[in-house]
Amino acid sequence: MLLFLDESGSDCREAPYEVLAGVAIREQNLWPLIQAVRAAERDHFGMPLSNVGVELKGKKLLKSKVFRLAEQGASFPAEQRRDMVSQFLAKGQDEAKGEQVAYT
């Protein structure tokens, strides 16, 4: 049995919530979990986040600004949102390399 623990929001400044999460998983179920997480990344972001050097951090997702901006407008259809996020991530990677690329 493997146990993973992680915490987010413990800075006591910007995050409106503190989260402590733990997952216990049998070794034989670890690879299917990894595959499911990768599939979720592709479904939501259009690519594995490791392709662009991004790691999701609860600290960033739990900021008050994220909640405020999320409430400002209607959500996009899943496919359109995924395409926009994928372009955004690719643009950030290109800019980090010093490339200037125009995206539509």
Side-chain angles (χ1 to χ4, degrees), residues 5-65:
L5 289 174
D6 196 15
E7 52 76 29
S8 292
S10 59
D11 64 0
C12 298
R13 292 187 307 266
E14 296 182 35
Y17 306 105
E18 290 190 31
V19 177
L20 176 64
V23 176
I25 187 165
R26 294 177 191 260
E27 288 89 349
Q28 65 263 30
N29 295 334
L30 182 59
W31 183 241
L33 173 65
I34 291 169
Q35 291 176 308
V37 169
R38 288 181 178 170
E41 286 180 335
R42 286 189 302 274
D43 289 347
H44 294 286
F45 305 111
M47 68 181 74
L49 293 176
S50 60
N51 286 5
V52 291
V54 172
E55 179 183 4
L56 280 182
K57 293 289 190 177
K59 179 179 178 180
K60 292 180 182 178
L61 297 174
L62 294 174
K63 287 184 178 182
S64 297
K65 179 180 177 181

